[in-house]
Amino acid sequence: MEKAYSYRFYPTPEQESLLRRTLGCVRLVYNKALHERTQAWYESQRRIGYSQTSSMLTAWKKESELDFLNEVSCVPLQQGLRHLQTAFSNFWAGRTKYPNFKKKHQGGSAEFSKSAFKYRNGQIYLAKCKEPLDIRWSRPIPEGCEPSTVTIRLHPSGRWHISIRFDDPTIKPLPVTDKAIGIDLGINSLVTTSDGNKVSNPKHLKKYYRKLRRAHKNLSRKEKGSKNREKARRKVARIHAQITDTRKDHLHKLTTQLVRENQTIVVEDLAVKNMVKNRKLAQAISDASWGEITRQLAYKCRWYGRTYIEIDRWFPSSKRCSNCGHIVQKMPLNIREWDCPECGTCHDRDINASKNILAAGLAVSVCGASVRPEQSKSVKPTAMKLQT
Ligand SMILES: [Zn+2]
């Protein structure tokens, strides 16, 4: 099973200079290739692929004004072009927006595959660096594991991180249980499960949001291009990083527990949730957490031999009575509890929704077993009908 661990590291001045130049070159090559691909499309409706941009890179390195591209490892530049290819594939498939140019203040990243780094005596040596990276090993890489890829990231706050990917043969499926759970993702409670548990956002997140608002205000008062503005910008970025860390930590504990205790986990397709767009802070917090929860659940289920199901977006999970199947006409967001007019059951809004999500997910998994995967979409509505 593939795993990635992320650590903070402190580059020496020489390493920092080389890494900053590397990130700059990755950005330049990425942006140039993006420009070429866009031009080719507008001017002659031609699609340029990865291999063409790769030969362009070879040509750019021979141009005298781009000579500095030869001073850094070539691997991250190539990997950048691969990422651009992925960005285009996602765009053509309708999953994402058109790729954007990379900007300097975003920091940036550089990916080093096997040929561009060495892992020796528990140390990472990057290409063109004599000394190993000074990594704060917050947890060890399991004995006998060989890193396959490392990614260097410069956070907008000025911190350096390294993410190390490796194959971990020690991950084994957990013992099978017969428990299945439905999960409703919400704003009032971040997570509500079909067995009646509610989990909210950690309290101290609020404290960080207050800090963030103050830092933002401070930033907006600083003059463009000034040293103080740069300092204020870093402060904002640092608080963002703290928020991300705190949130991830909290969610890891939650998702690990859910995956340990349940064989099957059902969630709603997030596209549903995103339809109810609003710019409020609470929404922003939840948005970020929802995506992270489903991401963690999906890969942990894969690791531990669990079944992860995302149900179709049009399922009326909050309007349906999970006891008798009756569907009410309206269910405004402010109603937290309701009585079913048909069978009289008193429902907590979120727990009822998560029960429906579980039922729909189990129906999909039963019907899905007899059809080919590419047809699973057309199967979903039938599965829903069985339930309603
Ligand atoms: Zn009912």
Side-chain angles (χ1 to χ4, degrees):
M1 278 299 173
E2 265 229 326
K3 249 185 169 178
Y5 283 176
S6 184
Y7 306 95
R8 188 141 179 216
F9 76 97
Y10 297 85
T12 63
E14 297 94 295
Q15 285 172 342
E16 174 149 7
S17 147
L18 177 67
L19 287 174
R20 279 188 187 272
R21 274 183 288 146
T22 307
L23 295 184
C25 290
V26 170
R27 192 169 59 237
L28 178 104
V29 167
Y30 185 97
N31 287 346
K32 266 180 94 67
L34 172 55
H35 174 77
E36 292 293 339
R37 293 178 76 137
T38 309
Q39 284 299 101
W41 179 253
Y42 274 109
E43 281 166 10
S44 48
Q45 278 72 57
R46 271 182 311 121
R47 280 195 196 187
I48 293 182
Y50 164 72
S51 54
Q52 279 159 290
T53 53
S54 180
S55 16
M56 283 176 187
L57 173 58
T58 314
W60 293 336
K61 288 167 95 176
K62 286 178 188 143
E63 288 176 27
S64 57
E65 67 268 36
L66 294 175
D67 194 38
F68 56 86
L69 289 177
N70 296 296
E71 292 169 18
V72 303
S73 167
C74 180
V75 174
L77 307 183
Q78 293 282 359
Q79 293 301 94
L81 292 178
R82 287 206 177 87
H83 293 158
L84 180 61
Q85 177 63 33
T86 312
F88 268 99
S89 310
N90 285 335
F91 169 69
W92 297 123
R95 286 187 289 268
T96 52
K97 288 190 190 150
Y98 197 78
N100 271 328
F101 287 112
K102 290 194 186 296
K103 297 190 180 81
K104 190 174 179 191
H105 69 83
Q106 293 168 329
S109 64
E111 192 176 295
F112 296 78
S113 56
K114 197 102 204 193
S115 59
F117 74 93
K118 277 200 190 74
Y119 180 61
R120 198 172 288 150
N121 302 327
Q123 304 268 37
I124 299 273
Y125 297 78
L126 291 181
K128 298 187 191 249
C129 285
K130 274 185 235 90
E131 284 171 79
L133 293 179
D134 179 14
I135 297 171
R136 293 301 134 93
W137 299 97
S138 46
R139 53 179 167 176
I141 300 231
E143 193 88 29
C145 288
E146 268 299 304
S148 58
T149 314
V150 305
T151 305
I152 301 291
R153 272 195 192 84
L154 174 60
H155 191 264
S157 64
R159 293 179 189 187
W160 292 90
H161 289 270
I162 180 168
S163 162
I164 304 175
R165 227 171 29 232
F166 57 92
D167 202 45
D168 187 353
T170 63
I171 298 183
K172 299 235 157 58
L174 289 164
V176 176
T177 88
D178 51 7
K179 273 190 79 185
I181 206 161
I183 295 172
D184 179 60
L185 300 169
I187 294 174
N188 287 308
S189 316
L190 184 60
V191 162
T192 305
T193 60
S194 52
D195 54 9
N197 284 321
K198 293 191 173 197
V199 181
S200 48
N201 269 307
K203 292 232 162 52
H204 46 288
L205 263 186
K206 268 206 181 128
K207 183 185 76 191
Y208 285 127
Y209 276 99
R210 271 200 301 275
K211 265 169 94 181
L212 183 63
R213 224 173 357 235
R214 260 204 310 273
H216 254 297
K217 230 184 214 161
N218 192 30
L219 171 64
S220 64
R221 281 198 288 258
K222 299 283 184 279
E223 205 178 313
K224 281 227 166 106
S226 69
K227 265 224 170 97
N228 279 333
R229 189 182 170 88
E230 174 62 17
K231 243 161 81 188
R233 190 193 58 74
R234 278 192 182 209
K235 174 124 201 221
V236 168
R238 206 156 51 231
I239 300 170
H240 269 298
Q242 282 172 330
I243 289 173
T244 309
D245 287 353
T246 312
R247 183 197 289 129
K248 269 201 178 166
D249 215 47
H250 174 71
L251 297 182
H252 269 302
K253 283 179 196 132
L254 174 67
T255 54
T256 299
Q257 192 193 353
L258 286 167
V259 171
R260 274 195 186 285
E261 291 173 356
N262 299 285
Q263 188 63 35
T264 304
I265 294 178
V266 190
V267 295
E268 257 179 311
D269 187 324
L270 280 185
V272 198
K273 296 282 179 187
N274 290 336
M275 288 192 315
V276 216
K277 272 258 150 74
N278 97 44
R279 289 277 145 234
K280 280 194 184 138
L281 192 60
Q283 181 78 47
I285 304 172
S286 310
D287 273 353
S289 296
W290 292 344
E292 183 62 23
I293 290 171
T294 53
R295 189 188 73 84
Q296 289 181 10
L297 285 176
Y299 81 73
K300 286 180 185 175
C301 282
R302 211 168 50 236
W303 281 3
Y304 296 114
R306 304 304 206 206
T307 309
Y308 172 78
I309 302 170
E310 271 185 19
I311 61 157
D312 191 81
R313 55 180 69 184
W314 308 115
F315 186 69
S317 59
S318 16
K319 290 184 198 159
R320 180 181 180 272
C321 166
S322 58
N323 186 43
C324 71
H326 177 76
I327 294 178
V328 297
Q329 282 298 310
K330 270 187 193 157
M331 185 56 67
L333 270 170
N334 59 345
I335 293 185
R336 309 309 310 165
E337 267 179 36
W338 57 287
D339 295 318
C340 172
E342 206 54 39
C343 71
T345 312
C346 174
H347 288 300
D348 171 282
R349 181 201 179 94
D350 298 337
I351 297 175
N352 179 60
S354 60
K355 282 182 180 162
N356 281 326
I357 289 169
L358 173 62
L362 293 180
V364 170
S365 73
V366 169
C367 297
S370 61
V371 290
R372 280 170 302 178
E374 61 267 31
Q375 287 187 343
S376 62
K377 264 225 164 103
S378 59
V379 152
K380 279 181 183 173
T382 347
M384 298 306 155
K385 244 176 251 156
L386 287 175
Q387 282 300 306
T388 47

